[in-house]
Amino acid sequence: MIAFHRWLPELGRDVVIVASLNENTFYDHSYGLGFPGDGRWEEIFNSDIYDNFFNPSPQDNSDGITASGPSLHGLPSSAGITIPANSILVFARDRGDLG
């Protein structure tokens, strides 16, 4: 598992990228991950979802997540996320939470 945060200085536009080489899925928002700020984060990319390929049980965070947990991984907030096996996820801060 590897995760990192990218942003534009002084503009925000934060994204959090998560890559898993694990053969198992972390279900039901069971994996705690540090986030750079509280608020709503939308899953904008998930490699477990295919446009032209039938995946009978894709795992996702399609309803978004709310980072409101304690500091984790050196970041001020955290949230539980679902991570599909062998996947890449990208979360972006909800534009309504930018203030």
Side-chain angles (χ1 to χ4, degrees), residues 11-96:
L11 294 177
R13 298 186 185 162
D14 298 80
V15 294
V16 172
I17 299 100
V18 180
S20 173
L21 301 177
N22 197 313
E23 293 288 329
N24 299 305
T25 294
F26 293 91
Y27 292 98
D28 300 322
H29 304 291
S30 65
Y31 191 90
L33 183 68
F35 277 82
D38 286 342
R40 195 85 180 132
W41 291 77
E42 300 301 321
E43 183 181 82
I44 61 170
F45 177 80
N46 180 336
S47 64
D48 202 37
I49 309 296
Y50 305 95
D51 285 336
N52 295 312
F53 176 78
F54 178 70
N55 184 349
S57 61
Q59 301 300 312
D60 63 12
N61 303 274
S62 60
D63 293 332
I65 57 101
T66 299
S68 60
S71 63
L72 189 61
H73 304 123
L75 295 169
S77 191
S78 63
I81 63 173
T82 296
I83 304 175
N86 302 307
S87 65
I88 297 174
L89 306 174
V90 179
F91 294 92
R93 192 184 305 255
D94 188 323
R95 305 266 323 148

